[in-house]
Amino acid sequence: MARTREDTQSVTVSEAEIAVHWKEEDYYQPSPKFIGQANLTDPGIMERFGLDRFPECFREYADLLTWDQYWHTTLDTGDAPFWKWFVGGRLNACYNCVDRHLAQHKNKAAFIFVPEPEDEPHVPLTYQELYVRVNETAALLRDFAGLRAGDRVTLHLPMTPELPITMLACARLGVIHSVVFGGFSGEACGIRAADSGSKVLVTMDGYYRNGKVLDHKANADIAVATAAKEGQTIDKVLVWRRFRDRSASSTPMVKGRDFLINDLLPKYAGQRVQPVSMDALAPLFLMYTSGTTGRPKGCQHGTGGYLAYVAATSKYIQDIHPTDVYWCFADIGWITGHSYIVYGPLALAATGVLYEGVPAYPDAGRPWRIAERLDVNIFHTSPTTVRMLRKLGPEEPRKYHYHFKTMTTVGEPIEPEAWKWYHSVVGKGEAVITDTWWQTENGGFLCSTKPALDPMKPGSAGPGMPGIHPVIYDEEGREIPRGSQKAGNICIRNPWPGIMQTIWGDRDRYVKTYYAKYNKNPKSTDWRDWPYFAGDGALQAADGYFRILGRVDDVINVAGHRLGTKELESACLTVPEVAEAAVVPVQDDLKGRVPEVYVSLKPGVAAGKEVKDKVVHAIETTIGKIARPKDVRIVPDMPKTRSGKIMRRVLAAISNTMETGDVTTLANPDVVEQIRELVQGKGKVATKAGPEDIKRFGDER
Ligand code: WT7
């Protein structure tokens, strides 16, 4: 990550600029009514979780769980930075999320499934019902699919009850689930299934999205073929049915490989499967996320630490009580859904809403109708959804009689304007907002206000969570003090129970990606030597609140979902006409950032719509529709350094009408002007200001 002197200086300049433009917002206070019922009202918590009490402070979190065997060592750092939490402990995650609630809550809804079509009835699933269905599914996975503790299985499922049921069935057996977001293409699913070494793929025939039934089974065939190309045989595809009485897919079943779960289940009716007592350190699941290089990385989360962390943060930050009705509007196929739809809320015996479809189907009033009817009082979504619902129906929430006590936002920075609409209109001025900053790798929240204890500040995630000690370093590892109005790289000084254990099958990449930057002694077993590098730019205000600025690597955050630009670029290169490809982020009013593609063509190939369409198609089939570019620009050549590197930062500046800076040292400076004209037309004036992540984009290549 060597930077030239010029690079470092230009970053310093832009940091100062942020300071000038950064306006402090006023605080908002939680209401006395909220404080009166909150789970966390003890201001002593920060002291209790001070660094001098680390790591034993986290016992308090683990004590929220039911252990088969209590642990003997809270944190073992002997193999740093591979942290081992609650060593010696044994537990089962499914038992903690289901069985242990039966005595008190068996007739209470664990989930209320809301199908996308508004005329399909809601389906409540009580804890008892969940228990029965999880057991039967576990029996099937064990006895029919032959799955055992430690095996990996890939789940490519939509937002229906079958997804958490299958996850919990895996957890019951100690089988490691790897859920791939349902909107990812079959190819993307196959790559991930191969990396995890899954022999079994669980899918569904189809599901509703935006008023249409999608044939999802078709993706499974592609996934199996892709995995085979990668050297991984998937010998069983288990298919859930979306409808009781008909198939949602016209894709044929492959004999001897594909099996309808709904046909097999009657054989396991009434069966009970003893939850397998797992080591606290046993992996619970893999969750793939995009990184700087082409291959997605499988973040491996363990059982004890992860579950303790998500249970505690659900309780203290989301303020979930068993009597609440909680709705997290994420997809379970992302980490937010794992931690804050499935594991955290269920560990607390919550009632959660599980909504199948898109937010504004059939209109922008839908979410608020659901909230009113089910009396949802905790709401959790992303800034993209907030912006979209605001654009489509700014007055809609006022028409419905629901009351939220807390609302969470996650996934991207939320601009103060959107925050204020969320607060005053969606939250009716009553709800507390928690802006939670964290990542797939982290298991749970890292920065957020504590809803009854800290005032809110629009646009700021807030202070570190109890026991999480963030720090901002400059490129050289010098601490940037709070209130200095300078940005840097946000890191966490200490490990915490929710941190991933490793990247599946790639220990080196784990160390390199998250720790190498600021570790000075690779042999050290002292956690103080291993600050966690998050890959986000941030600054800390004088009050200790962190404002997150966005990624500092080659990752684009589209609507709160991470896309690796390398992955997109390799997809473009599968189009035979394309010689070179570069992908850059563009600011977008709704989605935060969207990718824009630049391609140069092979000699003799004519530029035209056909090639552009091919590029879009290649991206949609290798990754999915979420990665669809805003535009494909065919350029005569890429701007390059003398050593031949594509200057993505220059392209990003052009796409965002920002100044490109000095390009005279490039190998082909003239092409920059040509591309600018092509993209912006003649006479457009570049503005100097621009978001930090875009300014820094491509720096590290
Ligand atoms: C990246 C992680 C785990 C949440 C879902 C996304 C960005 C996340 C915030 C926030 C500003 C945020 C960061 C982070 N991000 N939450 N509250 N404010 N930025 O998980 O796909 O792993 O992405 O999302 O850039 O690094 P993910």
Side-chain angles (χ1 to χ4, degrees), residues 295-616:
R295 288 195 80 83
K297 41 194 184 194
C299 298
Q300 177 186 317
H301 284 284
T303 306
Y306 171 82
L307 199 61
Y309 196 71
V310 296
T313 47
S314 296
K315 179 165 179 176
Y316 298 133
I317 302 303
Q318 309 246 68
D319 198 48
I320 295 176
H321 303 61
T323 43
D324 291 322
V325 183
Y326 166 78
W327 184 11
C328 171
F329 216 146
D331 193 291
I332 293 177
W334 305 105
I335 190 73
T336 302
H338 276 49
S339 299
Y340 297 113
I341 297 178
V342 180
Y343 287 111
L346 291 183
L348 301 176
T351 294
V353 176
L354 200 68
Y355 174 56
E356 176 180 31
V358 301
Y361 183 84
D363 57 67
R366 183 72 189 279
W368 322 123
R369 287 198 287 283
I370 295 171
E372 181 183 272
R373 178 173 171 106
L374 300 177
D375 204 14
V376 173
N377 66 341
I378 307 178
F379 190 67
H380 184 161
T381 194
S382 65
T384 290
T385 306
V386 171
R387 288 182 212 115
M388 188 185 53
L389 291 171
R390 177 182 181 209
K391 187 174 169 204
L392 297 177
E395 296 301 322
E396 284 300 307
R398 298 193 208 274
K399 300 180 191 160
Y400 298 94
H401 302 281
Y402 65 84
H403 293 277
F404 295 152
K405 64 166 183 173
T406 52
M407 304 194 301
T408 297
T409 141
V410 65
E412 317 148 64
I414 182 163
E415 46 284 74
E417 208 197 321
W419 191 99
K420 287 174 192 167
W421 181 79
Y422 195 34
H423 184 261
S424 67
V425 181
V426 178
K428 306 184 185 220
E430 307 162 339
V432 181
I433 295 183
T434 49
D435 179 349
T436 58
W437 169 73
W438 60 297
Q439 314 170 298
T440 304
E441 294 86 341
N442 308 155
F445 307 148
L446 293 182
C447 284
S448 165
T449 48
K450 296 171 284 303
L453 290 170
D454 305 322
M456 303 157 252
K457 192 165 71 174
S460 286
M465 296 279 306
I468 304 291
H469 302 276
V471 55
I472 298 181
Y473 289 127
D474 70 9
E475 284 300 319
E476 280 72 43
R478 283 182 302 250
E479 211 172 310
I480 301 182
R482 64 161 70 178
S484 69
Q485 303 199 315
K486 279 198 170 182
N489 296 316
I490 188 166
C491 296
I492 311 296
R493 292 181 198 274
N494 59 299
W496 63 97
I499 179 78
M500 67 196 287
Q501 297 178 308
T502 184
I503 293 175
W504 179 257
D506 202 343
R507 281 172 60 101
D508 290 349
R509 191 173 174 195
Y510 168 78
V511 179
K512 229 169 108 191
T513 311
Y514 305 107
Y515 298 98
K517 191 169 173 78
Y518 293 120
N519 168 264
K520 293 191 189 81
N521 174 11
K523 295 221 162 59
S524 173
T525 56
D526 185 340
W527 57 265
R528 291 169 193 82
D529 289 325
W530 295 95
Y532 168 84
F533 171 74
D536 277 328
L539 72 165
Q540 190 181 23
D543 59 10
Y545 282 28
F546 290 91
R547 179 173 160 86
I548 307 297
L549 300 168
R551 305 288 313 176
V552 298
D553 54 13
D554 301 333
V555 167
I556 304 182
N557 188 333
V558 183
H561 304 312
R562 259 199 270 179
L563 294 176
T565 45
K566 279 261 175 66
E567 271 172 83
L568 281 135
E569 289 168 4
S570 17
C572 299
L573 294 173
T574 62
V575 177
E577 289 87 345
V578 171
E580 285 184 305
V583 173
V584 301
V586 183
Q587 289 187 76
D588 182 90
D589 285 350
L590 287 183
K591 296 181 174 175
R593 304 281 177 271
V594 287
E596 181 154 80
V597 173
Y598 286 85
V599 290
S600 64
L601 304 181
K602 289 183 184 153
V605 179
K609 187 169 176 303
E610 207 178 303
V611 181
K612 289 190 186 188
D613 289 347
K614 278 191 182 174
V615 169
V616 173

Side-chain angles (χ1 to χ4, degrees), residues 67 69-73 85-90 278-281:
W67 294 80
Q69 188 181 306
Y70 209 66
W71 67 89
H72 52 71
T73 306
W85 283 93
F86 311 125
V87 185
R90 300 193 79 84
M278 299 300 293
D279 193 303
L281 299 171

Side-chain angles (χ1 to χ4, degrees), residues 158-202:
M159 282 289 285
T160 62
E162 287 72 17
L163 175 48
I165 286 171
T166 313
M167 289 165 70
L168 292 163
C170 291
R172 196 166 190 85
L173 300 169
V175 169
I176 304 167
H177 57 71
S178 172
V179 178
V180 175
F181 169 56
F184 270 133
S185 67
E187 221 170 279
C189 176
I191 297 276
R192 288 158 177 77
D195 188 86
S196 68
S198 295
K199 294 191 190 119
V200 176
L201 171 66
V202 184

Side-chain angles (χ1 to χ4, degrees), residues 119-137:
D119 54 2
E120 253 195 61
H122 296 173
V123 185
L125 193 73
T126 65
Y127 274 92
Q128 172 66 20
E129 188 83 8
L130 181 62
Y131 171 75
V132 170
R133 292 194 62 185
V134 165
N135 269 281
E136 293 175 355
T137 307

Side-chain angles (χ1 to χ4, degrees), residues 89-233:
R90 300 193 79 84
L91 76 167
N92 182 277
C94 178
Y95 177 87
N96 273 277
C97 291
V98 184
D99 303 42
R100 68 168 175 157
H101 304 316
L102 294 179
Q104 272 194 53
H105 300 296
K106 72 166 149 245
N107 199 29
K108 173 181 138 59
F111 287 116
I112 301 166
F113 172 52
V114 178
E116 190 185 70
E118 221 164 350
D119 54 2
E120 253 195 61
H122 296 173
V123 185
L125 193 73
T126 65
Y127 274 92
Q128 172 66 20
E129 188 83 8
L130 181 62
Y131 171 75
V132 170
R133 292 194 62 185
V134 165
N135 269 281
E136 293 175 355
T137 307
L140 183 150
L141 292 179
R142 184 189 60 192
D143 300 341
F144 180 77
L147 292 168
R148 296 287 178 272
D151 290 347
R152 280 81 55 209
V153 51
T154 296
L155 277 46
H156 197 207
L157 290 165
M159 282 289 285
T160 62
E162 287 72 17
L163 175 48
I165 286 171
T166 313
M167 289 165 70
L168 292 163
C170 291
R172 196 166 190 85
L173 300 169
V175 169
I176 304 167
H177 57 71
S178 172
V179 178
V180 175
F181 169 56
F184 270 133
S185 67
E187 221 170 279
C189 176
I191 297 276
R192 288 158 177 77
D195 188 86
S196 68
S198 295
K199 294 191 190 119
V200 176
L201 171 66
V202 184
T203 187
M204 184 169 265
D205 55 1
Y207 62 98
Y208 278 105
R209 186 131 192 109
N210 225 349
K212 285 197 213 69
V213 178
L214 300 188
D215 182 344
H216 190 53
K217 162 66 173 62
N219 293 320
D221 295 351
I222 300 170
V224 172
T226 307
K229 265 191 246 152
E230 297 278 310
Q232 176 67 32
T233 310

